[in-house]
Amino acid sequence: MIKKIKGTQDILPEETPRWVALEGLIRETMIRYNFHELRTPIFEQTQLFARGIGQLTDIVSKEMYTFLDRGKKQLTLKPEMTAPIMRAYLENKLYARSPLNKLFYIAPLFRQENPQAGRLRQFHQYGAETLGTTDANADAEIIDLAWTIFQRIGLKNLTLRLNSVGCPQCRADYKRKLQDYIRPNLDKYCADCQRRFETNPLRILDCKNPTCSALNQNAPKLVDHLCDDCRVHYEQVKDRLHKLGIPFKEDPYLVRGLDYYTRTVFEITSENLGAQNAICGGGRYDLLARELDGVDTPAVGFAAGMERLLMVMEQQGITLAEKPRLDVFLAPLGDLARQECITWAHKIRALGLITEMDLLGRSIKAQMREANRQQARFVLILGENELQKQEFTVKIMDKSEQLTVAFDQILDFLQMAAKEN
Ligand code: HAM
């Protein structure tokens, strides 16, 4: 039998209500903050990610699903949304319509990682991006939005970590200082860090290898080497978060796994997740538009992983959605009754009631069992006798009551009775 691909998931019918409810809460909150949904294609030219995210990042160098199409074009299933959003913004000249664009998305993404709990090869993110301003209030608004969604869900025990990775000017200076600090012990660092030493030494600060993190303990901090503009910006972001009452921890060694960041970076982690504890990450990326040969567009955004979020919700006992209860179960007995019932089902559904009818020709006993399993509120029995009299036998399941209702009364009856219960 053909099986699903490792690291992918089927979202089964009993799970979809949780997804739909979560997506509803996300959309509703995004709209309150006046963000507008943008949807982009599942695949893009590989170059978009190679240039946007950075050739040397794990995502681009190891994790992308890249293939040649029949026309020998190199394409990639999107591993993240920030670069596609920026491409769509530039290509559609959204900047010409408005100097500020606030965009959001909910989308499936693809990364060929080693699958484990909370780490999938196809996963889902929601996120928001503000394009067109360097204002620190935009950074604060993005973090407020990310935080507020978690608050509205009712999540507890979250940590927001914040840092500034400066701009290319202050970073160049800092890189040299960091390399001077690491160089004497370079041979003790892991192979990945040694490889990153020349090309991307900042990522060494992020290494989870215990030896490397011990060696990094007294490394110089970028926040101590920010240029004046970047320092003022960072102070403003922190000030706004204080004003918003959003608790955060400064983490001078927080560097994110994508190369486009400038200034603000942040991550939100949950105590309920193991090694893959980040449910949300984001930051400012003022140079990405230029990197993609577009008009200069400073921007800031975040994205959160929906599978990880749903895991935390489950562990904290948070349910946003109950499976909706069946209102009416139509129980026909015999072919003639079934023919009659299909049109009744249509009419009852038109009242807005969730309605099911037996399609398997089951016995009345088996149909009653099914109605109970689906917790139906009303069962409408249509046997030979009822057909002759043009009426239904109605069982009001919560009250264990039974009565007969004529065909020409049934819609009014159900409409009234459904409201009462
Ligand atoms: P990211 O940190 O790569 O950032 O991903 C954001 C979130 O997506 C993570 O915190 C995690 O919850 C979830 N995630 C990432 N990879 C996986 C995976 N393999 N399985 C399950 N969940 C995963 C970005 O993608 C940036 N585009 C965020 C951003 C938006 N920065 C600025 N704007």
Side-chain angles (χ1 to χ4, degrees):
M1 210 177 59
I2 297 170
K3 296 266 174 67
K4 66 181 181 311
I5 293 166
K6 203 169 128 191
T8 66
Q9 275 181 343
D10 297 312
I11 303 171
L12 298 175
E14 63 265 28
E15 296 159 21
T16 44
R18 300 164 64 211
W19 282 81
V20 172
L22 180 59
E23 287 163 9
L25 185 146
I26 291 162
R27 282 211 167 78
E28 212 236 323
T29 317
M30 294 286 186
I31 290 164
R32 274 192 204 178
Y33 280 69
N34 203 29
F35 281 74
H36 304 285
E37 187 169 358
L38 174 60
R39 300 183 185 191
T40 70
I42 285 285
F43 49 15
E44 297 270 0
Q45 292 187 45
T46 303
Q47 272 303 304
L48 172 65
F49 303 111
R51 279 166 58 189
I53 304 172
Q55 287 281 5
L56 299 168
T57 58
D58 284 352
I59 296 178
V60 173
S61 65
K62 300 186 207 164
E63 296 169 1
M64 294 203 305
Y65 282 98
T66 295
F67 57 96
L68 291 180
D69 73 0
R70 286 170 199 275
K72 302 265 183 298
K73 279 207 187 74
Q74 206 179 45
L75 307 177
T76 294
L77 299 183
K78 57 186 176 185
E80 63 106 51
M81 277 299 288
T82 307
I85 290 275
M86 184 58 94
R87 188 220 23 88
Y89 163 89
L90 294 170
E91 189 170 341
N92 295 290
K93 298 191 173 54
L94 298 188
Y95 48 84
R97 300 187 198 172
S98 160
L100 187 77
N101 280 269
K102 302 204 313 184
L103 305 170
F104 84 88
Y105 47 86
I106 302 179
L109 300 173
F110 308 86
R111 296 184 192 177
Q112 192 162 3
E113 303 198 69
N114 282 333
Q116 50 178 275
R119 193 200 265 168
L120 293 150
R121 291 185 168 175
Q122 176 174 344
F123 61 100
H124 297 78
Q125 276 186 354
Y126 65 89
E129 317 284 346
T130 300
L131 300 111
T133 178
T134 57
D135 189 349
N137 292 299
D139 304 51
E141 184 181 55
I142 278 287
I143 297 173
D144 178 28
L145 171 56
W147 191 254
T148 296
I149 290 173
F150 294 145
Q151 296 309 303
R152 290 193 68 199
I153 292 168
L155 288 194
K156 295 185 193 70
N157 306 328
L158 297 179
T159 306
L160 166 62
R161 291 182 302 134
L162 182 74
N163 192 19
S164 172
V165 293
C167 62
Q169 285 73 38
C170 36
R171 218 151 37 195
D173 223 23
Y174 169 75
K175 256 187 199 167
R176 277 190 295 277
K177 291 201 171 77
L178 183 61
Q179 283 169 323
D180 289 346
Y181 170 86
I182 293 169
R183 194 172 290 106
N185 291 315
L186 186 58
D187 54 337
K188 300 190 187 107
Y189 279 84
C190 73
D192 268 350
C193 286
Q194 294 192 20
R195 194 171 44 81
R196 286 177 183 139
F197 180 74
E198 287 300 339
T199 50
N200 198 355
L202 260 74
R203 281 306 307 278
I204 295 179
L205 297 173
D206 201 29
C207 185
K208 303 284 182 289
N209 181 315
T211 315
C212 302
S213 42
L215 287 166
N216 286 339
Q217 274 209 341
N218 298 311
K221 297 170 180 162
L222 181 47
V223 277
D224 296 334
H225 296 84
L226 293 177
C227 64
D228 287 348
D229 286 352
C230 288
R231 204 184 54 251
V232 169
H233 192 271
Y234 187 43
E235 292 306 322
Q236 288 173 343
V237 174
K238 289 191 286 180
D239 172 72
R240 303 309 180 267
L241 293 181
H242 283 306
K243 289 196 166 100
L244 284 160
I246 298 173
F248 63 91
K249 279 194 185 133
E250 284 185 76
D251 179 349
Y253 298 134
L254 174 67
V255 277
R256 307 234 325 114
L258 306 100
D259 281 353
Y260 48 58
Y261 291 110
T262 49
R263 297 188 169 172
T264 312
V265 288
F266 64 94
E267 251 171 37
I268 300 175
T269 51
S270 163
E271 277 176 17
N272 290 85
L273 294 170
Q276 308 305 321
N277 64 354
I279 50 174
C280 171
R284 179 163 278 289
Y285 47 97
D286 290 342
L287 304 175
L288 177 60
R290 208 182 298 166
E291 187 60 46
L292 300 175
D293 301 325
V295 288
D296 246 356
T297 307
V300 60
F302 83 90
M306 297 190 57
E307 284 82 0
R308 289 189 196 173
L309 177 52
L310 285 162
M311 274 168 67
V312 179
M313 287 168 61
E314 193 166 331
Q315 284 174 33
Q316 298 192 3
I318 299 169
T319 39
L320 295 180
E322 301 297 337
K323 190 168 173 269
R325 193 176 161 190
L326 190 62
D327 290 309
V328 178
F329 188 91
L330 278 159
L333 295 168
D335 267 356
L336 265 182
R338 261 214 311 286
Q339 287 172 34
E340 184 76 21
C341 273
I342 183 70
T343 51
W344 281 112
H346 177 89
K347 287 179 198 161
I348 298 167
R349 286 166 180 153
L351 299 176
L353 300 178
I354 305 177
T355 305
E356 180 65 300
M357 71 172 267
D358 179 65
L359 294 171
L360 299 177
R362 283 175 279 201
S363 68
I364 185 67
K365 210 170 143 201
Q367 292 198 46
M368 286 310 295
R369 214 180 305 127
E370 182 58 24
N372 272 315
R373 193 183 70 80
Q374 297 207 40
Q375 296 175 319
R377 298 164 68 196
F378 305 98
V379 178
L380 270 52
I381 299 170
L382 191 65
E384 252 173 57
N385 203 7
E386 284 91 351
L387 252 183
Q388 226 166 36
K389 293 191 186 155
Q390 298 279 289
E391 65 184 24
F392 286 104
T393 297
V394 177
K395 284 179 179 284
I396 306 174
M397 303 298 273
D398 290 344
K399 297 185 188 160
S400 304
E401 275 175 25
Q402 182 169 315
L403 65 163
T404 52
V405 181
F407 279 1
D408 59 6
Q409 300 287 312
I410 191 71
L411 294 179
D412 287 342
F413 169 84
L414 285 173
Q415 203 156 30
M416 294 290 288
K419 264 190 218 141
E420 259 172 43
N421 263 259

